[in-house]
Amino acid sequence: MNNAKILIIEDDSPIADLLSYGLSMEGFQTRIAASGASGMSAIQLFQPDLLLLDWMLPDQSGLEICKKVTSEYNIPILMITAKSDITDKVLGLEFGADDYITKPFDLREVIARVRTILRRVEQANTGHKEEANTEVYSFHDIEILAEERLVKKSSHDIELTPKEYDLLMTLVRNPGRTFTRSELLDIVWGYHFAGDTRTVDTHIQRLRKKLDAPEYITTVFGIGYKFKKQVLQHDT
């Protein structure tokens, strides 16, 4: 995906210009936005394949942008942060970021991470096309339509973020199998983020709340999570 479109939301002009130049030299199309507001507008106009999002913006937090983007779009996000505290990094992941990189950074590492995220997205999309997308999963009053990436409860749509949906489908497609938190990080987030499995717990809590069916995604204490096998109906 060398011709992928990258939107850089960064108010530090030298950093934004460096990122734009480096990514352009690798064949990517880039656009720069210096604030959260202009970034949100650019998303609609530019329709990027990936966001490079600064944590600290002049008009609003990058976390707020991250939250808005993941609730409205299916765009992967690589956060750029000057914060080195692990809690802040985990918070970014919990708000929907796919990965983060800390300033000061090596441009080559940024490009490598961008390629990794885009490759993962491309593989996921290819996999979804190859799957029997007429799959329908149902349990209790909940129905999952794989072709539309849509989840309904009592015929009403449930708004899930892309990560919440992918996490749910990982469990639902493997009923009865226990996944460790690290495995779920690796499958859903696409990399092993050692020691920071709290983001999985947070997403599981949100899933249970949105589905209003906490008994179906069960905790295997000391290990991870699984979906109850006996309650699931699967049609193709």
Side-chain angles (χ1 to χ4, degrees):
M1 295 184 69
N2 274 10
N3 61 344
K5 295 189 288 186
I6 314 294
L7 175 60
I8 303 163
I9 306 179
E10 167 65 71
D11 64 313
D12 188 320
S13 295
I15 291 178
D17 290 341
L18 173 65
L19 289 168
S20 180
Y21 173 78
L23 289 165
S24 296
M25 292 299 292
E26 294 294 319
F28 296 107
Q29 302 177 55
T30 65
R31 183 166 296 182
I32 297 172
S35 68
S38 61
M40 291 302 296
S41 296
I43 288 173
Q44 296 181 358
L45 297 173
F46 187 50
Q47 299 184 348
D49 297 299
L50 181 143
L51 296 186
L52 275 172
L53 175 62
D54 187 26
W55 182 290
M56 302 295 292
L57 294 167
D59 56 342
Q60 56 190 299
S61 166
L63 288 178
E64 288 302 313
I65 297 295
C66 189
K67 185 176 181 181
K68 290 177 185 176
V69 170
T70 54
S71 66
E72 298 176 20
Y73 304 94
N74 189 14
I75 304 173
I77 300 171
L78 173 58
M79 292 203 74
I80 304 171
T81 173
K83 295 176 176 288
S84 58
D85 189 277
I86 195 65
T87 302
D88 292 322
K89 294 173 181 177
V90 172
L91 187 61
L93 295 174
E94 291 176 352
F95 270 64
D98 291 79
D99 201 351
Y100 66 85
I101 194 161
T102 305
K103 298 176 184 176
F105 52 76
D106 188 314
L107 184 57
R108 292 169 297 180
E109 183 180 1
V110 176
I111 293 170
R113 294 198 183 203
V114 165
R115 289 192 185 282
T116 297
I117 294 172
L118 290 175
R119 183 166 57 249
R120 186 168 70 244
V121 170
E122 187 173 33
Q123 290 171 347
N125 290 339
T126 301
H128 289 152
K129 290 176 183 177
E130 291 174 351
E131 289 167 359
N133 279 341
T134 54
E135 288 178 310
V136 176
Y137 297 85
S138 58
F139 55 97
H140 193 46
D141 58 348
I142 295 169
E143 186 177 50
I144 305 171
L145 308 176
E147 182 176 8
E148 303 175 58
R149 287 178 64 90
L150 184 64
V151 181
K152 291 178 173 287
K153 182 178 177 65
S154 300
S155 300
H156 297 289
D157 293 355
I158 300 176
E159 296 296 330
L160 299 183
T161 67
K163 287 291 185 295
E164 289 168 348
Y165 177 85
D166 291 342
L167 180 58
L168 176 62
M169 291 307 294
T170 298
L171 295 170
V172 164
R173 284 189 169 124
N174 299 275
R177 174 183 168 183
T178 298
F179 288 90
T180 67
R181 291 170 175 83
S182 294
E183 284 176 326
L184 290 171
L185 272 177
D186 199 32
I187 293 168
V188 177
W189 279 262
Y191 57 90
H192 183 64
F193 199 58
D196 293 300
T197 54
R198 288 172 293 178
T199 190
V200 174
D201 297 332
T202 299
H203 280 71
I204 290 289
Q205 290 169 12
R206 290 177 182 169
L207 266 179
R208 285 170 170 166
K209 183 176 181 179
K210 289 183 178 182
L211 297 176
D212 191 25
E215 67 273 22
Y216 297 113
I217 301 175
T218 62
T219 301
V220 181
F221 291 100
I223 301 176
Y225 299 96
K226 70 177 180 179
F227 190 89
K228 279 191 174 180
K229 187 173 184 177
Q230 62 270 29
V231 301
L232 187 67
Q233 296 180 16
H234 177 204
D235 301 316
T236 56

